[in-house]
Amino acid sequence: MEGTVFTPALEGMKHVKSEDGVMLTKPFLEVCKHILPVIEKFGAAMALVKSDIGGNITRLENKYLSNPEKYEHLYSMVQEEVDAKTAKGSSSCTNGLLWLTRAMDFLVELFRNLLQHQDWAMSQACTDSYSKTLKKWHGWLASSSFTVAMKLAPDRKKFLDVVGGTGDINSDIEKFCTTFSPFLEENHKFLASVGVDDLKAS
């Protein structure tokens, strides 16, 4: 593997915004897709997160593919649902983008923990990032499942060796966190502006 598991995502992030600074649907979803192989390396601990992220990417991608010109900008499909008063439905693209963004928040926080707390076991890094991000939006059932899954987290060193490939893994994790976070913040800002950033899991 050339570089690290993060290399394709870092490359893709250069294209997420248009020249005039608008978030583009396809490149944003492509970056999220590039994160899936990273999550895969967590094995069973992240099976729930992976299927959730995959499902939300597919939902947004199908909408985009139904009319690539109309939905070129990521927020256009949300705006359309807000105007049609369907944004809060559980199968809406708005809901898909919200949960995709939250799951990415969790991953960014997790990778940040791995960088900043070299002495933490992987399960501690996972649990801490979960409590800072997804936990408050999850009901009891999801929260319990997550807590159990985190106990299956792989050995930290093995994981970093696997995702490191031939590149500098710490440097790439740092780049990933600092470059991707602003996109996620922008998503939250937009979702908050249309009144849907605080939806909880049904």
Side-chain angles (χ1 to χ4, degrees), residues 16 19 65 67 86 88 101 113-114 123 130 151 157 167 171:
V16 167
E19 282 178 12
L65 291 171
N67 193 336
T86 57
K88 292 185 179 180
T101 303
N113 275 344
L114 290 177
S123 55
Y130 177 66
K151 292 183 169 54
K157 185 180 177 325
S171 162

Side-chain angles (χ1 to χ4, degrees), residues 4-13 28 30-36 38-39 53 103-112 115 168-184:
T4 70
V5 174
F6 288 96
T7 305
L10 291 172
E11 195 46 48
M13 281 188 224
F28 177 77
E30 289 297 325
V31 169
C32 294
K33 270 190 205 166
H34 286 315
I35 306 303
L36 290 174
V38 184
I39 304 169
I53 289 174
M104 292 295 161
D105 286 337
F106 162 69
L107 292 170
V108 166
E109 197 58 49
L110 169 55
F111 293 126
R112 217 175 254 145
L115 277 188
D168 178 345
I169 187 61
N170 284 347
S171 162
D172 275 9
I173 288 178
E174 173 79 43
K175 273 187 228 152
F176 172 74
C177 293
T178 50
T179 315
F180 202 41
S181 293
F183 297 144
L184 301 176

